[in-house]
Amino acid sequence: MTLDHDVQNESDKNLQKYRQIEEFAKKHRVDFYPKYRGIGHQIMVEEGYTWPGTVVVASDSHSNMYGGVGCLGTPVVRTDAASLWATGKTWWQIPPIAKVTFTGTLPKGVTGKDVIVALCGLFSKDEVLNHAIEFTGSEETMESLLVDDRLTIANMTTEWGALTGLFPIDSVLQRWLRYKATKAALYQQSELTDASTTKRINYKRLDKLFANPLSADRGAKYAKTLYLNLSTLSPYVSGPNSVKVATPLNELATQDIKVNRAYLVSCTNSRASDFAAAAQVFKDAAESNDGIIPSVSKDVNFYIAAASAPEQDAAEANGDWGVLVEAGAKPLPAGCGPCIGLGTGLLEPGEVGISASNRNFKGRMGSIEAKAYLASPEVVAASALSGKISGPGWYERPADWSGVVRGDGDGIREEDRMITAEEALDKVIGQLDALVETAEKNLGGEVTGPIEAESLTEVLPGFPEKVEGEIVFCDADNINTDGIYPGKYTYQDDVSVDKMAEVCMENYDIAFSSIAKAGDILVSGFNFGCGSSREQAATAILAKKIPLVVAGSFGNIFSRNSINNALMGVEVPRLVQRLRETFSANPKEGSQVEMAEPSQNRESLDSPPPAPQNTPKEEKMLTRRTGWMFTWDVRRSKVVIQEGEGGATWSQKVGELPPNVQEIIARGGLENWVKNEIQFKN
């Protein structure tokens, strides 16, 4: 257990909560790390809890980070964690697997952060939504991705929409782990620490691990395959206010985008190597400043916080931390701070920030009227120094560069493909399997006979057979948990139900509270509920007395939270399309309409033909009452849409809501279900 959120909060109430957590950990003999020791994800990795080839869960959405060391990390939400503690059980829906192949090698001046920012922007159409990702590549390619790069990439697969991002157990990881084992052993022998790290990271375990490392089956089939040529990448910047918008740095650098705050913080990019890269920017600048470390721009506040205390110690020992402080950086304690909208240095209205963290959702790092960008540590440092979004100038674009090479498949040209006889046999077998599967489907489709009776879903006593209400449409994709429930309320334990209802969707649309009514059906676009694991994203909607959310697709972590907290959800992409066709998601541009001159004016010398009449641009409504009615027939697994009074009515089959999920929802959520199970067993 780690105290890493809200660590700057010194209130008696918060400190009392910390004491209770520590007492609980001691009582149950759980390894405990106090505040200022670091962010839980970094501690999990550096202390060896995330062992390659195993599955590790944590109650935070960036548990994906463990994939950087070959450990399948994936998030569970807090109610899941509590039920795991009480019962030793949890649930998963096995996701589709996507293989992402890297080719080429990282050019100088391009980092792991640039890789994942580019992936989020170049593959921004939910290609890997709710998938588990396997990253792979040739030995030469993977040698260019060091473990710190891998941790950054895996960490932000969350923002890409994936459930996990797994890197191979290879020679790069082996060198890193053996270094960790040596360091842990030396500290233990020197009695410089009483940590139990050597129990987890030691040569004996490593020898066993690398004698038979876990890897994908030969000929494994994937739901999706993508590739990215690293050699064609340049530094990238994400934003503003969206990880789905990624722009090459050289394009933004010409736009003179002034920066007010810069952040080298979070579990994504605040390791010793990141501080070294940032410090090098100032060291290079000192060469043309009589050897004096220059100060950050007078218009910029630059904040630094290490991912963990040992990472800060290493940065201090290397002199990099001191360089940044000398330049004017403001140190913050190791832990989660501005990245999650807590503590010192939050963005004010109208300000622009650039951060090496993982999320730049509107309002997450401060005001909803601010703009936030994401970039690598060296770009953040260069921007802090110059006062505008810029880079250190380390990257040199190849003369023959013609664009980023990426797409579907593995990126290897057929004429360049060299495979062994075994691989060729695997390929033929795979093709035969696909042919058989296709033939079976085709044959199955030709069978004729009486139409089977409509299958009905069992509806448990007390669970509604139908859910219906008027549709309130929030017309946007990727509405994140910060948009649904602002982070500034997330860590307040005394927020009333009425207050939760009032601020529901506040960061998305301040008018939502006055438009949506109790009993409405909330409909939104695709990837609804992406982002953090905060359960309040679901409970705030329930507080608003909205019983059902409909979307084109959901982020998986929101789906888990919804079930665990008794909020119903159903995916109906066709409904989103119809609403957008009817209510126009794209604002109409201003236009000019030719006016006809009255016929009797034509011969009048003092009546010139009328000028075209301007029609103002129509503003997009973020939230609207539609007058459409939505009915979900749970028993028939069908939804019925009435498109307004006198409009068309249509229906569509949807996924079945099985009795076990009904039971959790009917009992008011997973917590009550677990309590009932415990009482029943006792």
Side-chain angles (χ1 to χ4, degrees):
M1 289 185 176
T2 306
L3 300 180
D4 58 6
H5 281 47
D6 211 13
V7 294
Q8 297 178 44
N9 183 351
E10 296 289 338
S11 68
D12 290 340
K13 188 172 184 178
N14 193 54
L15 296 179
Q16 173 62 22
K17 180 172 31 176
Y18 283 174
R19 285 192 291 270
Q20 290 172 339
I21 295 171
E22 184 173 4
E23 289 167 4
F24 180 89
K26 288 180 178 178
K27 178 180 178 180
H28 295 280
R29 292 181 295 178
V30 176
D31 291 355
F32 175 79
Y33 295 87
K35 69 173 185 173
Y36 305 151
R37 172 57 178 77
I39 301 171
H41 299 309
Q42 177 65 27
I43 293 171
M44 290 287 286
V45 170
E46 69 190 17
E47 292 293 336
Y49 294 104
T50 53
W51 193 249
T54 65
V55 177
V56 174
V57 301
S59 58
D60 185 89
S61 57
H62 287 107
S63 307
N64 293 25
M65 179 173 131
Y66 312 151
V69 291
C71 169
L72 198 158
T74 195
V76 294
V77 297
R78 287 152 184 76
T79 304
D80 285 324
S83 66
L84 266 168
W85 188 266
T87 68
K89 298 178 181 178
T90 189
W91 63 274
W92 273 292
Q93 183 178 13
I94 303 301
I97 314 298
K99 182 169 76 169
V100 176
T101 301
F102 293 131
T103 62
T105 57
L106 277 185
K108 180 183 178 182
V110 181
T111 69
K113 185 57 162 278
D114 299 307
V115 173
I116 189 59
V117 167
L119 285 171
C120 289
L122 297 174
F123 298 99
S124 61
K125 306 301 182 185
D126 293 344
E127 286 90 343
V128 297
L129 178 63
N130 297 333
H131 284 59
I133 297 174
E134 289 182 20
F135 291 110
T136 187
S138 70
E139 183 176 354
E140 180 185 13
T141 294
M142 300 313 283
E143 282 284 336
S144 75
L145 290 170
L146 302 181
V147 168
D148 281 2
D149 290 313
R150 298 177 183 197
L151 291 171
T152 298
I153 294 168
N155 181 294
M156 280 190 64
T157 56
T158 304
E159 281 62 50
W160 198 16
L163 297 178
T164 190
L166 188 66
F167 276 86
I169 302 172
D170 62 1
S171 58
V172 174
L173 179 61
Q174 184 174 14
R175 288 196 302 271
W176 185 84
L177 283 170
R178 291 196 180 280
Y179 166 76
K180 287 287 184 182
T182 301
K183 184 178 178 181
L186 289 173
Y187 269 75
Q188 196 78 35
Q189 291 170 8
S190 304
E191 298 183 348
L192 294 175
T193 178
D194 57 359
S196 58
T197 314
T198 53
K199 295 179 181 178
R200 294 179 293 276
I201 307 180
N202 56 65
Y203 293 121
K204 185 177 180 180
R205 287 193 79 193
L206 291 175
D207 289 341
K208 183 178 179 181
L209 169 68
F210 287 100
N212 187 27
L214 187 67
S215 61
D217 295 336
R218 298 187 65 135
K221 294 183 179 179
Y222 295 88
K224 192 164 294 180
T225 56
L226 304 171
Y227 73 91
L228 175 68
N229 187 329
L230 302 182
S231 297
T232 64
L233 271 187
S234 64
Y236 264 76
V237 177
S238 170
N241 296 352
S242 173
V243 293
K244 300 284 187 178
V245 177
T247 307
L249 171 64
N250 68 309
E251 292 183 21
L252 288 183
T254 63
Q255 297 178 24
D256 196 35
I257 301 173
K258 297 289 190 280
V259 171
N260 304 103
R261 299 179 192 268
Y263 307 88
L264 183 43
V265 300
S266 87
C267 56
T268 315
N269 275 114
S270 289
R271 287 172 277 277
S273 61
D274 299 312
F275 293 115
Q280 191 62 49
V281 173
F282 289 91
K283 291 176 183 178
D284 289 351
E287 294 180 4
S288 58
N289 193 43
D290 296 327
I292 300 171
I293 297 296
S295 298
V296 300
S297 169
K298 62 182 179 59
D299 300 317
V300 177
N301 287 299
F302 183 24
Y303 304 92
I304 57 174
S308 71
E311 291 294 328
Q312 180 172 333
D313 291 343
E316 289 177 348
N318 294 335
D320 299 318
W321 187 270
V323 167
L324 296 174
V325 172
E326 183 181 348
K330 301 178 180 181
L332 299 175
C336 303
C339 172
I340 57 172
L342 294 174
T344 301
L346 303 188
L347 289 169
E348 299 290 341
E351 289 188 334
V352 173
I354 187 166
S355 177
S357 54
N358 44 39
R359 286 190 180 136
N360 56 350
F361 302 151
K362 184 176 73 170
R364 178 176 174 85
M365 298 183 69
S367 171
I368 61 174
E369 298 173 15
K371 290 183 178 180
Y373 294 84
L374 303 178
S376 66
E378 44 264 63
V379 170
V380 169
S383 301
L385 179 60
S386 68
K388 61 182 182 179
I389 293 180
S390 56
W394 299 342
Y395 171 73
E396 293 182 7
R397 174 167 289 176
D400 60 349
W401 185 88
S402 60
V404 178
V405 177
R406 84 281 188 182
D408 296 328
D410 61 11
I412 302 174
R413 298 184 304 174
E414 288 302 319
E415 57 267 32
D416 296 335
R417 196 180 299 278
M418 296 179 63
I419 59 177
T420 65
E422 285 183 291
E423 290 171 333
L425 181 59
D426 287 339
K427 183 177 180 180
V428 171
I429 291 173
Q431 291 171 341
L432 288 173
D433 286 343
L435 286 171
V436 171
E437 185 178 345
T438 302
E440 287 175 342
K441 287 181 180 178
N442 291 339
L443 286 172
E446 293 174 1
V447 175
T448 60
I451 298 174
E452 293 183 7
E454 182 180 28
S455 61
L456 299 177
T457 301
E458 178 188 355
V459 178
L460 298 183
F463 195 90
E465 291 197 13
K466 291 184 178 181
V467 182
E468 53 190 346
E470 182 182 345
I471 292 174
V472 169
F473 187 36
C474 291
D475 186 8
D477 297 329
N478 306 306
I479 294 181
N480 56 72
T481 49
D482 286 85
I484 300 169
Y485 191 78
K488 62 185 177 182
Y489 302 109
T490 302
Y491 303 99
Q492 298 180 24
D493 299 328
D494 55 355
V495 180
S496 67
V497 173
D498 288 343
K499 183 65 175 179
M500 291 184 74
E502 178 188 334
V503 302
C504 179
M505 303 293 285
E506 180 178 274
N507 277 3
Y508 165 70
D509 181 11
I510 195 71
F512 178 87
S513 179
S514 60
I515 295 173
K517 309 296 181 186
D520 285 340
I521 306 299
L522 172 58
V523 179
S524 189
F526 293 83
N527 197 20
F528 182 84
C530 57
S532 76
S533 60
R534 67 189 62 168
E535 294 184 301
Q536 294 95 328
T539 56
I541 293 172
L542 286 170
K544 190 66 177 170
K545 294 184 170 57
I546 293 173
L548 173 66
V549 180
V550 183
S553 60
F554 290 102
N556 179 269
I557 203 161
F558 180 83
S559 296
R560 289 188 75 95
N561 268 327
S562 296
I563 293 170
N564 290 346
N565 289 281
L567 174 65
M568 293 178 283
V570 63
E571 294 184 351
V572 190
R574 181 185 172 192
L575 175 58
V576 178
Q577 180 183 355
R578 284 292 302 130
L579 286 165
R580 286 177 170 169
E581 289 171 353
T582 304
F583 296 106
S584 182
N586 299 314
K588 296 177 181 177
E589 296 294 335
S591 60
Q592 290 188 329
V593 179
E594 293 294 334
M595 299 295 292
E597 182 182 12
S599 59
Q600 294 182 5
N601 283 357
R602 289 176 183 168
E603 297 179 2
S604 174
L605 296 177
D606 59 356
S607 296
Q613 181 168 327
N614 284 319
T615 302
K617 181 178 178 180
E618 178 184 318
E619 290 189 11
K620 175 179 175 179
M621 292 181 64
L622 295 177
T623 307
R624 72 164 74 228
R625 301 197 67 81
T626 63
W628 292 22
M629 297 301 295
F630 181 97
T631 302
W632 181 20
D633 188 330
V634 178
R635 182 176 295 280
R636 290 175 173 77
S637 300
K638 181 174 70 174
V639 297
V640 180
I641 314 299
Q642 170 67 50
E643 296 187 355
E645 187 175 350
T649 299
W650 54 273
S651 62
Q652 178 182 317
K653 293 288 287 185
V654 293
E656 179 183 353
L657 189 68
N660 58 342
V661 176
Q662 290 180 40
E663 185 179 0
I664 292 174
I665 294 174
R667 290 193 181 279
L670 186 62
E671 182 179 345
N672 289 337
W673 183 88
V674 169
K675 287 179 180 178
N676 183 74
E677 288 292 296
I678 293 173
Q679 291 171 358
F680 178 77
K681 289 179 179 179
N682 293 338

